[in-house]
Every structure is written in structure tokens, then in C-alpha cells.
Amino acid sequence: MNRSTVARFSTTSMAAARNRLPTNIKLRRPIPPTIDNITVPENHPLWQFFDNKNFLRKPQEIQTTGRPWTIQELRRKKFDDLHKLWYVCLKERNVLGREHRLLESVDSQSAIIYEEQSEQIRTTMWRIKHVLRERQLAETKSREKLLKSSELQDYLQDFKQEYLDSQDVETQEWYDKLERLQYAIFGIPNYLSADTVVDEHFLEGVKFIGELKFAKFSESVPELQDLGKLSSIVENYALFEETSNKEGVALAVKRIEEYRANDIQIPQEKELEVIQELVRDRLEVAE
């Protein structure tokens, strides 16, 4: 492209632009920035950092006559109550933290009041964690003691017999019982996470729950009865993982049939490794 072409192109473009722009444009005065021009939804999550949607409470509005909860008081609380109290404390500390930072930025002497109250609440929070840690240790020791006890097999046998004798196990009550059993005895939580420990106890739980469902649903799910018996840990895991009802068991049967069609056999020394891999796969899918 030579210089004359560029000049003609530029001149033509400028002329076309002048023709497109109206000549009677009236500019409005700029709108000054003000908070009155901002509308915040009533359910905006950041309101959680404000007390009753007030920008800043006065120092005399801060409750300074109370005290932290004692460990003895917290020990008498149920888990759900401790959970709720923790989040009440967390929310109030967020509010106090924002207010303290505002006052600290202007070197206000009253900022210390907000900080001291926040520390009182923080004391309650670490005491809640202390009580929960106590309960966790007590539960762990109780489980270890039970696992070493001869009473464990008797308890599991009684549970199995009660489950098999029940007319209807597809109820929320029985779902809850199974969840409590697998967690209390085998340490298997209802929802798996990256922190879940997959060990020998976990493996025993998979076998017990899988065999339990197999025995219970063999008559009501014909496809399950056709399998004969469970022959590998992956078949136990398929039943363990699915919901404890006819529909869930039917889905597990399809997986078991695929395993058998591919002639998948797991030696006993590899069972734990295989279950660990299956749990990792499940977590990756969940993400």
C-alpha cells in the first residue's frame, strides 16, 4: 500500500465518521459518586460482617460484661449445639474484626474495646475445640478397646440377625443404624473425603456391610441370588457403596457382573490396596 492510498483511506474514514456523528449532542453533568446511588440486596452475604446492617456500633453497644464459656459448661452441650455456638462466635468475631480495623485505621482509642471482646469470644472457640477433641479421643479409645474385645463379634452377629429378621430395612431408621455402625465400629464416615483413613478396619467394614446386604436382598433381588456368592473384595465394595435398598443393590449387581465378565480376581494381600484405589477414584469423580 503506497502513501497516497493511505492518505485517501484516512481522509475517507474521517469524513465518514463526521457524517455519522450527530451535531446536537448534549452532554449531561457527571453523577457524583455517593452511597445513595448504590443498592445492596437484603440477602447479600457480606451483611454477615455487619451487626443489624449498622456500619459501626458505638463502644457502649459492645457487650463487655460477659465472660467466655467454661469447659465444664461446654462439656454438657450436644455436638449440634457446639456446632451452632461455634458459628455464632465466628460471625460475631468477623463483625468485631471489621469494626476494630476501621477504628484502628483512624487511631481511635476505643478500638481496644472491640479487640478485647473478640479475644473473649476466641477463648470460647478454642474451648469448644478442646471439648470436641476430648470427645474424639474418647471415641477413638473406645473403638480400639471394642475392636480388641471378644464382645465385638457377638455385637456384630446380633446386629446382623436383627437386620435380617427385620421386615423392612428400606427405612431412614435402618439407614441411620447402618451409618452409625460403620462409623462407630469400622471408622467409615457417611461421606468420604481426602482425610478418610482407609485401613484394615475400613476393609473389614466393607466386607461386613457387603455380606450383610447380600444376605438380606438375595431373595428380593433375583439377580443377586443368581450370582451365587461374593467372590472378591470389589464385589463387596460394589454392594457397600450403593444405597441399602433394592434399587441400589440392583445397580451393584450390574457392576459385579461387569467384574466377572472381565474375570477380575483380587488376591487377599492386594485387597487393601485395591479399596484405597477405589476410594481415590470415587473422590476424584466427586470433585
Side-chain angles (χ1 to χ4, degrees):
M1 181 181 292
N2 55 40
R3 293 182 60 186
S4 61
T5 304
V6 173
R8 285 197 301 273
F9 176 78
S10 301
T11 303
T12 304
S13 300
M14 292 175 64
R18 285 196 294 271
N19 292 333
R20 287 196 300 268
L21 292 176
T23 57
N24 58 345
I25 295 178
K26 293 183 179 180
L27 298 178
R28 298 179 179 179
R29 295 179 60 83
I31 301 175
T34 172
I35 195 171
D36 296 331
N37 297 329
I38 301 174
T39 302
V40 181
E42 291 294 321
N43 60 346
H44 197 288
L46 288 181
W47 280 127
Q48 299 295 319
F49 289 85
F50 295 80
D51 180 74
N52 293 323
K53 300 181 180 178
N54 293 323
F55 180 69
L56 182 64
R57 291 175 290 183
K58 297 178 181 179
Q60 55 269 29
E61 293 178 314
I62 302 300
Q63 176 61 260
T64 58
T65 58
R67 61 168 176 79
W69 285 70
T70 66
I71 290 179
Q72 290 74 17
E73 291 170 333
L74 294 170
R75 282 173 178 158
R76 293 194 290 268
K77 294 292 183 182
K78 297 185 296 184
F79 175 80
D80 288 344
D81 293 335
L82 292 177
H83 187 267
K84 292 174 184 177
L85 180 58
W86 171 274
Y87 278 100
V88 169
C89 291
L90 179 63
K91 179 180 176 181
E92 181 61 19
R93 285 202 72 204
N94 284 338
V95 175
L96 288 167
R98 184 189 62 82
E99 293 172 329
H100 173 260
R101 184 60 62 88
L102 285 172
L103 293 170
E104 192 178 44
S105 66
V106 294
D107 295 325
S108 173
Q109 294 183 354
S110 60
I112 189 65
I113 298 176
Y114 298 78
E115 184 178 16
E116 289 176 348
Q117 182 64 11
S118 180
E119 284 302 309
Q120 294 267 12
I121 298 173
R122 180 174 177 272
T123 300
T124 292
M125 295 178 74
W126 78 253
R127 287 175 179 172
I128 291 175
K129 293 179 68 175
H130 176 83
V131 170
L132 292 176
R133 180 58 176 166
E134 283 182 337
R135 294 181 184 180
Q136 182 183 23
L137 290 174
E139 180 185 11
T140 301
K141 290 181 179 179
S142 298
R143 185 186 300 125
E144 291 174 351
K145 183 179 179 180
L146 178 61
L147 290 173
K148 296 176 182 178
S149 171
S150 59
E151 298 176 356
L152 176 60
Q153 293 305 318
D154 294 337
Y155 174 80
L156 291 177
Q157 184 59 39
D158 291 342
F159 184 94
K160 180 178 180 180
Q161 194 61 50
E162 182 184 0
Y163 188 78
L164 296 179
D165 292 342
S166 177
Q167 296 297 320
D168 185 10
V169 295
E170 298 184 34
T171 63
Q172 189 60 49
E173 180 182 2
W174 269 111
Y175 296 154
D176 293 340
K177 283 184 178 181
L178 281 175
E179 289 175 4
R180 288 196 296 267
L181 174 84
Q182 69 181 39
Y183 182 69
I185 304 300
F186 303 107
I188 304 175
N190 186 28
Y191 297 102
L192 301 180
S193 68
D195 298 326
T196 301
V197 178
V198 182
D199 55 9
E200 293 292 341
H201 296 318
F202 190 106
L203 186 64
E204 290 301 319
V206 169
K207 291 180 179 179
F208 179 81
I209 299 296
E211 293 287 352
L212 185 65
K213 292 182 181 179
F214 182 87
K216 181 63 180 177
F217 291 95
S218 290
E219 294 183 0
S220 57
V221 181
E223 298 87 351
L224 188 62
Q225 192 173 14
D226 294 340
L227 293 176
K229 65 177 183 178
L230 300 179
S231 60
S232 70
I233 189 62
V234 291
E235 296 182 1
N236 285 87
Y237 185 79
L239 281 166
F240 162 81
E241 191 176 37
E242 296 295 345
T243 309
S244 305
N245 55 31
K246 295 183 183 66
E247 292 75 16
V249 171
L251 291 174
V253 169
K254 292 181 179 179
R255 291 169 58 184
I256 294 173
E257 290 173 343
E258 291 178 4
Y259 294 147
R260 295 189 177 185
N262 292 302
D263 195 24
I264 295 179
Q265 298 293 327
I266 309 298
Q268 186 175 359
E269 63 273 14
K270 292 289 186 180
E271 288 181 346
L272 181 58
E273 182 180 341
V274 169
I275 293 300
Q276 291 172 338
E277 185 65 29
L278 288 173
V279 171
R280 281 195 293 268
D281 292 343
R282 179 180 177 182
L283 293 175
E284 290 177 2
V285 171
E287 292 177 357

